[in-house]
Amino acid sequence: MTKLQRIKEIALALIMILGALVMMIYPKESYPLIVIILAFYFIATGISSIWYYITMARFMVGGRESLFMGVIWFDFGVLTGSLTSVPHYYVLLYLIGIHGFSGVVRVLRTLETRRTGSSSWKLKLTHGIIDIVLAILCIVFIKQLNTTGIIFGIGVFYSAVMRIVTACRKTAIVVIE
C-alpha cells in the first residue's frame, strides 16, 4: 500500500467514525440515512458484480454466478431503498443477516487459516466474533427503535477502526530479481 493509499484509507476511516458517532448519538433520526447507505451499498455491489461479469467473468467457467449475484444484490438494493417508510424491523433483519452471516464465514475462514499456520488470524477472528455479537444484539434488542442506529453505528465504527489498523500495518513486498 502506498503512502497516498494509506492517507486515503485513514481519511475515509475518520469520516466513517464521525458518521458512526452521529448515528449512535441520534439513533432515531439516523434511520433514513441507514436505509440510504444500505441501499447504496447493495446497488453498488450489484453493479460492480454485473460489470465484472460483462468485462471478464463471462469468459470464465462459472462466470454466470457473478451475473446472478449482481442481479440479486441490485434487487436487494432497490428493495432496501424502498424501506424508508416501513418499520425498523426490516432493517434490523438485514443487519442480523449481514452481521450473522459475515461473522460466521469470517470465523470459519479464520479457523481454516489458523490450521494452515498463518500468523495473522487473531484480528480476523476478533472481527468475526464482533460481527456475531452484533447480530445477537440485534436479535435481543429488536423491539427498541434505537437499536437500528446504535448497532449500525457500532458496526461502522468498528469497520473504520479496522481500516485504520489495516492502513497502518506494514505490507510485505515480494521482490523478484
Side-chain angles (χ1 to χ4, degrees):
M1 192 180 282
T2 64
K3 288 182 182 179
L4 183 63
Q5 288 173 331
R6 290 180 198 274
I7 292 170
K8 284 181 184 178
E9 285 292 313
I10 291 173
L12 180 63
L14 292 175
I15 292 170
M16 287 172 65
I17 288 173
L18 180 66
L21 291 175
V22 168
M23 283 183 219
M24 288 188 283
I25 292 170
Y26 304 107
K28 288 183 183 177
E29 292 81 14
S30 65
Y31 179 74
L33 179 65
I34 292 169
V35 170
I36 290 170
I37 290 171
L38 284 174
F40 179 74
Y41 173 75
F42 290 151
I43 289 172
T45 302
I47 289 172
S48 69
S49 183
I50 292 170
W51 182 254
Y52 175 67
Y53 170 76
I54 291 170
T55 56
M56 290 183 64
R58 66 181 170 168
F59 304 114
M60 298 174 5
V61 175
R64 281 192 190 155
E65 181 181 329
S66 69
L67 174 66
F68 298 145
M69 289 305 295
V71 170
I72 290 170
W73 280 115
F74 187 79
D75 287 345
F76 274 144
V78 171
L79 175 69
T80 304
S82 67
L83 293 178
T84 55
S85 62
V86 297
H88 70 283
Y89 298 114
Y90 296 108
V91 175
L92 276 175
L93 291 175
Y94 271 103
L95 292 178
I96 291 168
I98 291 169
H99 286 298
F101 183 74
S102 67
V104 168
V105 168
R106 195 171 303 254
V107 166
L108 292 175
R109 280 187 180 169
T110 303
L111 293 177
E112 182 181 342
T113 303
R114 182 176 175 225
R115 277 187 235 125
T116 60
S118 178
S119 62
S120 64
W121 59 272
K122 293 176 186 173
L123 190 62
K124 293 177 184 176
L125 181 67
T126 305
H127 190 87
I129 290 171
I130 288 176
D131 271 343
I132 292 171
V133 167
L134 287 175
I136 292 170
L137 286 175
C138 283
I139 293 170
V140 170
F141 297 111
I142 197 165
K143 296 206 182 223
Q144 297 178 4
L145 183 61
N146 296 341
T147 305
T148 308
I150 293 171
I151 297 292
F152 194 79
I154 291 171
V156 170
F157 185 83
Y158 185 73
S159 294
V161 170
M162 293 303 292
R163 275 184 184 264
I164 292 173
V165 168
T166 303
C168 293
R169 247 188 200 172
K170 292 190 178 223
T171 54
I173 298 175
V174 177
V175 178
I176 301 173
E177 293 183 17

PDB file of all heavy atoms in Angstrom, residues 42-58 63-75:
ATOM      1  N   PHE A  42     -25.735  -1.986  -1.487  1.00  0.00           N
ATOM      2  CA  PHE A  42     -26.226  -3.140  -2.234  1.00  0.00           C
ATOM      3  C   PHE A  42     -26.261  -2.864  -3.728  1.00  0.00           C
ATOM      4  O   PHE A  42     -25.880  -3.727  -4.531  1.00  0.00           O
ATOM      5  CB  PHE A  42     -27.609  -3.548  -1.742  1.00  0.00           C
ATOM      6  CG  PHE A  42     -27.631  -4.147  -0.365  1.00  0.00           C
ATOM      7  CD1 PHE A  42     -28.750  -4.016   0.441  1.00  0.00           C
ATOM      8  CD2 PHE A  42     -26.547  -4.832   0.143  1.00  0.00           C
ATOM      9  CE1 PHE A  42     -28.788  -4.552   1.708  1.00  0.00           C
ATOM     10  CE2 PHE A  42     -26.568  -5.378   1.418  1.00  0.00           C
ATOM     11  CZ  PHE A  42     -27.698  -5.238   2.195  1.00  0.00           C
ATOM     12  N   ILE A  43     -26.710  -1.680  -4.122  1.00  0.00           N
ATOM     13  CA  ILE A  43     -26.766  -1.345  -5.550  1.00  0.00           C
ATOM     14  C   ILE A  43     -25.361  -1.270  -6.133  1.00  0.00           C
ATOM     15  O   ILE A  43     -25.105  -1.785  -7.231  1.00  0.00           O
ATOM     16  CB  ILE A  43     -27.546  -0.032  -5.765  1.00  0.00           C
ATOM     17  CG1 ILE A  43     -29.043  -0.273  -5.494  1.00  0.00           C
ATOM     18  CG2 ILE A  43     -27.348   0.510  -7.176  1.00  0.00           C
ATOM     19  CD1 ILE A  43     -29.886   0.983  -5.494  1.00  0.00           C
ATOM     20  N   ALA A  44     -24.427  -0.648  -5.418  1.00  0.00           N
ATOM     21  CA  ALA A  44     -23.044  -0.555  -5.907  1.00  0.00           C
ATOM     22  C   ALA A  44     -22.407  -1.934  -6.022  1.00  0.00           C
ATOM     23  O   ALA A  44     -21.697  -2.217  -6.997  1.00  0.00           O
ATOM     24  CB  ALA A  44     -22.220   0.343  -4.983  1.00  0.00           C
ATOM     25  N   THR A  45     -22.669  -2.806  -5.051  1.00  0.00           N
ATOM     26  CA  THR A  45     -22.142  -4.169  -5.122  1.00  0.00           C
ATOM     27  C   THR A  45     -22.725  -4.907  -6.319  1.00  0.00           C
ATOM     28  O   THR A  45     -22.010  -5.621  -7.037  1.00  0.00           O
ATOM     29  CB  THR A  45     -22.456  -4.929  -3.819  1.00  0.00           C
ATOM     30  OG1 THR A  45     -21.883  -4.221  -2.726  1.00  0.00           O
ATOM     31  CG2 THR A  45     -21.893  -6.337  -3.852  1.00  0.00           C
ATOM     32  N   GLY A  46     -24.015  -4.746  -6.533  1.00  0.00           N
ATOM     33  CA  GLY A  46     -24.661  -5.395  -7.671  1.00  0.00           C
ATOM     34  C   GLY A  46     -24.116  -4.905  -8.997  1.00  0.00           C
ATOM     35  O   GLY A  46     -23.813  -5.705  -9.893  1.00  0.00           O
ATOM     36  N   ILE A  47     -23.974  -3.592  -9.133  1.00  0.00           N
ATOM     37  CA  ILE A  47     -23.465  -3.036 -10.386  1.00  0.00           C
ATOM     38  C   ILE A  47     -22.027  -3.469 -10.627  1.00  0.00           C
ATOM     39  O   ILE A  47     -21.654  -3.817 -11.749  1.00  0.00           O
ATOM     40  CB  ILE A  47     -23.604  -1.496 -10.386  1.00  0.00           C
ATOM     41  CG1 ILE A  47     -25.086  -1.117 -10.505  1.00  0.00           C
ATOM     42  CG2 ILE A  47     -22.800  -0.860 -11.513  1.00  0.00           C
ATOM     43  CD1 ILE A  47     -25.363   0.355 -10.330  1.00  0.00           C
ATOM     44  N   SER A  48     -21.202  -3.482  -9.584  1.00  0.00           N
ATOM     45  CA  SER A  48     -19.804  -3.901  -9.770  1.00  0.00           C
ATOM     46  C   SER A  48     -19.717  -5.379 -10.140  1.00  0.00           C
ATOM     47  O   SER A  48     -18.879  -5.760 -10.955  1.00  0.00           O
ATOM     48  CB  SER A  48     -18.974  -3.599  -8.528  1.00  0.00           C
ATOM     49  OG  SER A  48     -19.357  -4.427  -7.455  1.00  0.00           O
ATOM     50  N   SER A  49     -20.586  -6.193  -9.568  1.00  0.00           N
ATOM     51  CA  SER A  49     -20.581  -7.618  -9.916  1.00  0.00           C
ATOM     52  C   SER A  49     -21.065  -7.836 -11.348  1.00  0.00           C
ATOM     53  O   SER A  49     -20.514  -8.674 -12.076  1.00  0.00           O
ATOM     54  CB  SER A  49     -21.458  -8.390  -8.935  1.00  0.00           C
ATOM     55  OG  SER A  49     -21.414  -9.759  -9.213  1.00  0.00           O
ATOM     56  N   ILE A  50     -22.067  -7.084 -11.765  1.00  0.00           N
ATOM     57  CA  ILE A  50     -22.532  -7.176 -13.153  1.00  0.00           C
ATOM     58  C   ILE A  50     -21.457  -6.677 -14.114  1.00  0.00           C
ATOM     59  O   ILE A  50     -21.214  -7.275 -15.166  1.00  0.00           O
ATOM     60  CB  ILE A  50     -23.860  -6.399 -13.327  1.00  0.00           C
ATOM     61  CG1 ILE A  50     -24.982  -7.112 -12.566  1.00  0.00           C
ATOM     62  CG2 ILE A  50     -24.231  -6.263 -14.796  1.00  0.00           C
ATOM     63  CD1 ILE A  50     -26.267  -6.323 -12.460  1.00  0.00           C
ATOM     64  N   TRP A  51     -20.789  -5.593 -13.738  1.00  0.00           N
ATOM     65  CA  TRP A  51     -19.708  -5.069 -14.561  1.00  0.00           C
ATOM     66  C   TRP A  51     -18.564  -6.080 -14.669  1.00  0.00           C
ATOM     67  O   TRP A  51     -17.973  -6.252 -15.732  1.00  0.00           O
ATOM     68  CB  TRP A  51     -19.214  -3.742 -14.016  1.00  0.00           C
ATOM     69  CG  TRP A  51     -18.123  -3.136 -14.853  1.00  0.00           C
ATOM     70  CD1 TRP A  51     -16.798  -3.066 -14.556  1.00  0.00           C
ATOM     71  CD2 TRP A  51     -18.276  -2.543 -16.133  1.00  0.00           C
ATOM     72  NE1 TRP A  51     -16.110  -2.465 -15.564  1.00  0.00           N
ATOM     73  CE2 TRP A  51     -17.007  -2.135 -16.563  1.00  0.00           C
ATOM     74  CE3 TRP A  51     -19.367  -2.323 -16.970  1.00  0.00           C
ATOM     75  CZ2 TRP A  51     -16.789  -1.512 -17.785  1.00  0.00           C
ATOM     76  CZ3 TRP A  51     -19.147  -1.693 -18.188  1.00  0.00           C
ATOM     77  CH2 TRP A  51     -17.873  -1.302 -18.578  1.00  0.00           C
ATOM     78  N   TYR A  52     -18.263  -6.740 -13.565  1.00  0.00           N
ATOM     79  CA  TYR A  52     -17.233  -7.780 -13.577  1.00  0.00           C
ATOM     80  C   TYR A  52     -17.631  -8.907 -14.529  1.00  0.00           C
ATOM     81  O   TYR A  52     -16.801  -9.425 -15.268  1.00  0.00           O
ATOM     82  CB  TYR A  52     -17.023  -8.320 -12.164  1.00  0.00           C
ATOM     83  CG  TYR A  52     -16.072  -9.486 -12.089  1.00  0.00           C
ATOM     84  CD1 TYR A  52     -14.719  -9.333 -12.363  1.00  0.00           C
ATOM     85  CD2 TYR A  52     -16.525 -10.762 -11.754  1.00  0.00           C
ATOM     86  CE1 TYR A  52     -13.847 -10.404 -12.302  1.00  0.00           C
ATOM     87  CE2 TYR A  52     -15.671 -11.831 -11.689  1.00  0.00           C
ATOM     88  CZ  TYR A  52     -14.324 -11.642 -11.975  1.00  0.00           C
ATOM     89  OH  TYR A  52     -13.472 -12.700 -11.919  1.00  0.00           O
ATOM     90  N   TYR A  53     -18.904  -9.260 -14.530  1.00  0.00           N
ATOM     91  CA  TYR A  53     -19.366 -10.303 -15.453  1.00  0.00           C
ATOM     92  C   TYR A  53     -19.205  -9.839 -16.894  1.00  0.00           C
ATOM     93  O   TYR A  53     -18.713 -10.592 -17.735  1.00  0.00           O
ATOM     94  CB  TYR A  53     -20.831 -10.663 -15.192  1.00  0.00           C
ATOM     95  CG  TYR A  53     -21.393 -11.555 -16.266  1.00  0.00           C
ATOM     96  CD1 TYR A  53     -21.070 -12.908 -16.307  1.00  0.00           C
ATOM     97  CD2 TYR A  53     -22.209 -11.044 -17.275  1.00  0.00           C
ATOM     98  CE1 TYR A  53     -21.551 -13.728 -17.304  1.00  0.00           C
ATOM     99  CE2 TYR A  53     -22.692 -11.865 -18.276  1.00  0.00           C
ATOM    100  CZ  TYR A  53     -22.358 -13.196 -18.298  1.00  0.00           C
ATOM    101  OH  TYR A  53     -22.824 -14.011 -19.294  1.00  0.00           O
ATOM    102  N   ILE A  54     -19.609  -8.603 -17.184  1.00  0.00           N
ATOM    103  CA  ILE A  54     -19.553  -8.104 -18.559  1.00  0.00           C
ATOM    104  C   ILE A  54     -18.118  -8.030 -19.063  1.00  0.00           C
ATOM    105  O   ILE A  54     -17.835  -8.378 -20.212  1.00  0.00           O
ATOM    106  CB  ILE A  54     -20.239  -6.720 -18.645  1.00  0.00           C
ATOM    107  CG1 ILE A  54     -21.745  -6.877 -18.445  1.00  0.00           C
ATOM    108  CG2 ILE A  54     -19.947  -6.036 -19.969  1.00  0.00           C
ATOM    109  CD1 ILE A  54     -22.479  -5.564 -18.280  1.00  0.00           C
ATOM    110  N   THR A  55     -17.204  -7.598 -18.212  1.00  0.00           N
ATOM    111  CA  THR A  55     -15.829  -7.398 -18.661  1.00  0.00           C
ATOM    112  C   THR A  55     -14.974  -8.656 -18.634  1.00  0.00           C
ATOM    113  O   THR A  55     -14.143  -8.845 -19.516  1.00  0.00           O
ATOM    114  CB  THR A  55     -15.132  -6.315 -17.819  1.00  0.00           C
ATOM    115  OG1 THR A  55     -15.194  -6.674 -16.455  1.00  0.00           O
ATOM    116  CG2 THR A  55     -15.798  -4.967 -18.036  1.00  0.00           C
ATOM    117  N   MET A  56     -15.163  -9.538 -17.633  1.00  0.00           N
ATOM    118  CA  MET A  56     -14.268 -10.681 -17.509  1.00  0.00           C
ATOM    119  C   MET A  56     -14.956 -12.020 -17.295  1.00  0.00           C
ATOM    120  O   MET A  56     -14.604 -13.006 -17.914  1.00  0.00           O
ATOM    121  CB  MET A  56     -13.280 -10.452 -16.354  1.00  0.00           C
ATOM    122  CG  MET A  56     -12.268  -9.396 -16.631  1.00  0.00           C
ATOM    123  SD  MET A  56     -11.102  -9.236 -15.287  1.00  0.00           S
ATOM    124  CE  MET A  56     -10.302 -10.804 -15.304  1.00  0.00           C
ATOM    125  N   ALA A  57     -15.901 -12.074 -16.392  1.00  0.00           N
ATOM    126  CA  ALA A  57     -16.398 -13.359 -15.908  1.00  0.00           C
ATOM    127  C   ALA A  57     -17.204 -14.120 -16.937  1.00  0.00           C
ATOM    128  O   ALA A  57     -17.372 -15.331 -16.809  1.00  0.00           O
ATOM    129  CB  ALA A  57     -17.234 -13.163 -14.646  1.00  0.00           C
ATOM    130  N   ARG A  58     -17.707 -13.450 -17.977  1.00  0.00           N
ATOM    131  CA  ARG A  58     -18.490 -14.193 -18.967  1.00  0.00           C
ATOM    132  C   ARG A  58     -17.635 -15.175 -19.748  1.00  0.00           C
ATOM    133  O   ARG A  58     -18.144 -16.097 -20.350  1.00  0.00           O
ATOM    134  CB  ARG A  58     -19.213 -13.234 -19.902  1.00  0.00           C
ATOM    135  CG  ARG A  58     -18.302 -12.441 -20.771  1.00  0.00           C
ATOM    136  CD  ARG A  58     -19.087 -11.508 -21.634  1.00  0.00           C
ATOM    137  NE  ARG A  58     -18.164 -10.583 -22.280  1.00  0.00           N
ATOM    138  CZ  ARG A  58     -18.486  -9.803 -23.256  1.00  0.00           C
ATOM    139  NH1 ARG A  58     -19.720  -9.815 -23.706  1.00  0.00           N
ATOM    140  NH2 ARG A  58     -17.603  -9.000 -23.787  1.00  0.00           N
ATOM    141  N   GLY A  63     -18.773 -18.225 -14.600  1.00  0.00           N
ATOM    142  CA  GLY A  63     -18.845 -16.775 -14.569  1.00  0.00           C
ATOM    143  C   GLY A  63     -20.245 -16.236 -14.425  1.00  0.00           C
ATOM    144  O   GLY A  63     -20.442 -15.125 -13.944  1.00  0.00           O
ATOM    145  N   ARG A  64     -21.219 -17.018 -14.828  1.00  0.00           N
ATOM    146  CA  ARG A  64     -22.606 -16.552 -14.709  1.00  0.00           C
ATOM    147  C   ARG A  64     -23.013 -16.330 -13.257  1.00  0.00           C
ATOM    148  O   ARG A  64     -23.927 -15.570 -12.984  1.00  0.00           O
ATOM    149  CB  ARG A  64     -23.567 -17.550 -15.337  1.00  0.00           C
ATOM    150  CG  ARG A  64     -23.628 -17.454 -16.815  1.00  0.00           C
ATOM    151  CD  ARG A  64     -24.798 -18.239 -17.336  1.00  0.00           C
ATOM    152  NE  ARG A  64     -24.693 -18.335 -18.780  1.00  0.00           N
ATOM    153  CZ  ARG A  64     -25.226 -19.272 -19.483  1.00  0.00           C
ATOM    154  NH1 ARG A  64     -25.907 -20.232 -18.895  1.00  0.00           N
ATOM    155  NH2 ARG A  64     -25.100 -19.281 -20.783  1.00  0.00           N
ATOM    156  N   GLU A  65     -22.342 -17.001 -12.348  1.00  0.00           N
ATOM    157  CA  GLU A  65     -22.648 -16.816 -10.930  1.00  0.00           C
ATOM    158  C   GLU A  65     -22.472 -15.361 -10.518  1.00  0.00           C
ATOM    159  O   GLU A  65     -23.283 -14.828  -9.756  1.00  0.00           O
ATOM    160  CB  GLU A  65     -21.757 -17.709 -10.077  1.00  0.00           C
ATOM    161  CG  GLU A  65     -22.017 -17.608  -8.609  1.00  0.00           C
ATOM    162  CD  GLU A  65     -21.094 -18.497  -7.797  1.00  0.00           C
ATOM    163  OE1 GLU A  65     -20.685 -19.551  -8.284  1.00  0.00           O
ATOM    164  OE2 GLU A  65     -20.787 -18.111  -6.662  1.00  0.00           O
ATOM    165  N   SER A  66     -21.449 -14.690 -11.040  1.00  0.00           N
ATOM    166  CA  SER A  66     -21.260 -13.279 -10.696  1.00  0.00           C
ATOM    167  C   SER A  66     -22.373 -12.422 -11.290  1.00  0.00           C
ATOM    168  O   SER A  66     -22.788 -11.428 -10.674  1.00  0.00           O
ATOM    169  CB  SER A  66     -19.895 -12.781 -11.152  1.00  0.00           C
ATOM    170  OG  SER A  66     -19.828 -12.727 -12.551  1.00  0.00           O
ATOM    171  N   LEU A  67     -22.907 -12.799 -12.455  1.00  0.00           N
ATOM    172  CA  LEU A  67     -24.043 -12.074 -13.010  1.00  0.00           C
ATOM    173  C   LEU A  67     -25.275 -12.251 -12.134  1.00  0.00           C
ATOM    174  O   LEU A  67     -25.955 -11.282 -11.795  1.00  0.00           O
ATOM    175  CB  LEU A  67     -24.348 -12.560 -14.429  1.00  0.00           C
ATOM    176  CG  LEU A  67     -25.613 -11.982 -15.068  1.00  0.00           C
ATOM    177  CD1 LEU A  67     -25.463 -10.493 -15.310  1.00  0.00           C
ATOM    178  CD2 LEU A  67     -25.934 -12.719 -16.349  1.00  0.00           C
ATOM    179  N   PHE A  68     -25.550 -13.475 -11.741  1.00  0.00           N
ATOM    180  CA  PHE A  68     -26.715 -13.742 -10.900  1.00  0.00           C
ATOM    181  C   PHE A  68     -26.595 -13.045  -9.548  1.00  0.00           C
ATOM    182  O   PHE A  68     -27.560 -12.460  -9.056  1.00  0.00           O
ATOM    183  CB  PHE A  68     -26.928 -15.241 -10.707  1.00  0.00           C
ATOM    184  CG  PHE A  68     -27.213 -15.979 -11.993  1.00  0.00           C
ATOM    185  CD1 PHE A  68     -26.743 -17.265 -12.176  1.00  0.00           C
ATOM    186  CD2 PHE A  68     -27.933 -15.393 -13.016  1.00  0.00           C
ATOM    187  CE1 PHE A  68     -26.996 -17.948 -13.347  1.00  0.00           C
ATOM    188  CE2 PHE A  68     -28.196 -16.065 -14.196  1.00  0.00           C
ATOM    189  CZ  PHE A  68     -27.723 -17.354 -14.367  1.00  0.00           C
ATOM    190  N   MET A  69     -25.410 -13.106  -8.944  1.00  0.00           N
ATOM    191  CA  MET A  69     -25.206 -12.434  -7.661  1.00  0.00           C
ATOM    192  C   MET A  69     -25.343 -10.912  -7.813  1.00  0.00           C
ATOM    193  O   MET A  69     -25.890 -10.239  -6.940  1.00  0.00           O
ATOM    194  CB  MET A  69     -23.834 -12.778  -7.071  1.00  0.00           C
ATOM    195  CG  MET A  69     -23.726 -14.211  -6.576  1.00  0.00           C
ATOM    196  SD  MET A  69     -25.002 -14.653  -5.387  1.00  0.00           S
ATOM    197  CE  MET A  69     -24.613 -13.579  -4.036  1.00  0.00           C
ATOM    198  N   GLY A  70     -24.877 -10.382  -8.924  1.00  0.00           N
ATOM    199  CA  GLY A  70     -25.019  -8.951  -9.166  1.00  0.00           C
ATOM    200  C   GLY A  70     -26.472  -8.533  -9.282  1.00  0.00           C
ATOM    201  O   GLY A  70     -26.879  -7.502  -8.735  1.00  0.00           O
ATOM    202  N   VAL A  71     -27.263  -9.335  -9.981  1.00  0.00           N
ATOM    203  CA  VAL A  71     -28.687  -9.024 -10.106  1.00  0.00           C
ATOM    204  C   VAL A  71     -29.375  -9.120  -8.741  1.00  0.00           C
ATOM    205  O   VAL A  71     -30.205  -8.274  -8.383  1.00  0.00           O
ATOM    206  CB  VAL A  71     -29.347  -9.957 -11.142  1.00  0.00           C
ATOM    207  CG1 VAL A  71     -30.866  -9.832 -11.107  1.00  0.00           C
ATOM    208  CG2 VAL A  71     -28.827  -9.657 -12.534  1.00  0.00           C
ATOM    209  N   ILE A  72     -29.020 -10.131  -7.953  1.00  0.00           N
ATOM    210  CA  ILE A  72     -29.621 -10.284  -6.620  1.00  0.00           C
ATOM    211  C   ILE A  72     -29.240  -9.114  -5.723  1.00  0.00           C
ATOM    212  O   ILE A  72     -30.093  -8.546  -5.025  1.00  0.00           O
ATOM    213  CB  ILE A  72     -29.214 -11.635  -5.998  1.00  0.00           C
ATOM    214  CG1 ILE A  72     -29.910 -12.777  -6.747  1.00  0.00           C
ATOM    215  CG2 ILE A  72     -29.549 -11.683  -4.514  1.00  0.00           C
ATOM    216  CD1 ILE A  72     -29.409 -14.154  -6.389  1.00  0.00           C
ATOM    217  N   TRP A  73     -27.960  -8.719  -5.720  1.00  0.00           N
ATOM    218  CA  TRP A  73     -27.526  -7.580  -4.906  1.00  0.00           C
ATOM    219  C   TRP A  73     -28.230  -6.303  -5.343  1.00  0.00           C
ATOM    220  O   TRP A  73     -28.642  -5.487  -4.515  1.00  0.00           O
ATOM    221  CB  TRP A  73     -26.019  -7.378  -4.972  1.00  0.00           C
ATOM    222  CG  TRP A  73     -25.238  -8.289  -4.092  1.00  0.00           C
ATOM    223  CD1 TRP A  73     -24.360  -9.247  -4.483  1.00  0.00           C
ATOM    224  CD2 TRP A  73     -25.249  -8.336  -2.662  1.00  0.00           C
ATOM    225  NE1 TRP A  73     -23.841  -9.884  -3.393  1.00  0.00           N
ATOM    226  CE2 TRP A  73     -24.365  -9.341  -2.255  1.00  0.00           C
ATOM    227  CE3 TRP A  73     -25.925  -7.615  -1.688  1.00  0.00           C
ATOM    228  CZ2 TRP A  73     -24.129  -9.658  -0.933  1.00  0.00           C
ATOM    229  CZ3 TRP A  73     -25.700  -7.922  -0.367  1.00  0.00           C
ATOM    230  CH2 TRP A  73     -24.809  -8.932   0.003  1.00  0.00           C
ATOM    231  N   PHE A  74     -28.350  -6.113  -6.660  1.00  0.00           N
ATOM    232  CA  PHE A  74     -29.027  -4.925  -7.164  1.00  0.00           C
ATOM    233  C   PHE A  74     -30.488  -4.909  -6.725  1.00  0.00           C
ATOM    234  O   PHE A  74     -31.013  -3.873  -6.312  1.00  0.00           O
ATOM    235  CB  PHE A  74     -28.921  -4.881  -8.692  1.00  0.00           C
ATOM    236  CG  PHE A  74     -29.434  -3.608  -9.284  1.00  0.00           C
ATOM    237  CD1 PHE A  74     -28.664  -2.468  -9.276  1.00  0.00           C
ATOM    238  CD2 PHE A  74     -30.705  -3.548  -9.840  1.00  0.00           C
ATOM    239  CE1 PHE A  74     -29.134  -1.282  -9.815  1.00  0.00           C
ATOM    240  CE2 PHE A  74     -31.187  -2.373 -10.378  1.00  0.00           C
ATOM    241  CZ  PHE A  74     -30.402  -1.236 -10.370  1.00  0.00           C
ATOM    242  N   ASP A  75     -31.158  -6.067  -6.797  1.00  0.00           N
ATOM    243  CA  ASP A  75     -32.547  -6.158  -6.343  1.00  0.00           C
ATOM    244  C   ASP A  75     -32.671  -5.862  -4.852  1.00  0.00           C
ATOM    245  O   ASP A  75     -33.604  -5.170  -4.426  1.00  0.00           O
ATOM    246  CB  ASP A  75     -33.128  -7.537  -6.646  1.00  0.00           C
ATOM    247  CG  ASP A  75     -33.408  -7.742  -8.117  1.00  0.00           C
ATOM    248  OD1 ASP A  75     -33.432  -6.741  -8.855  1.00  0.00           O
ATOM    249  OD2 ASP A  75     -33.601  -8.906  -8.523  1.00  0.00           O
TER     250      ASP A  75
END
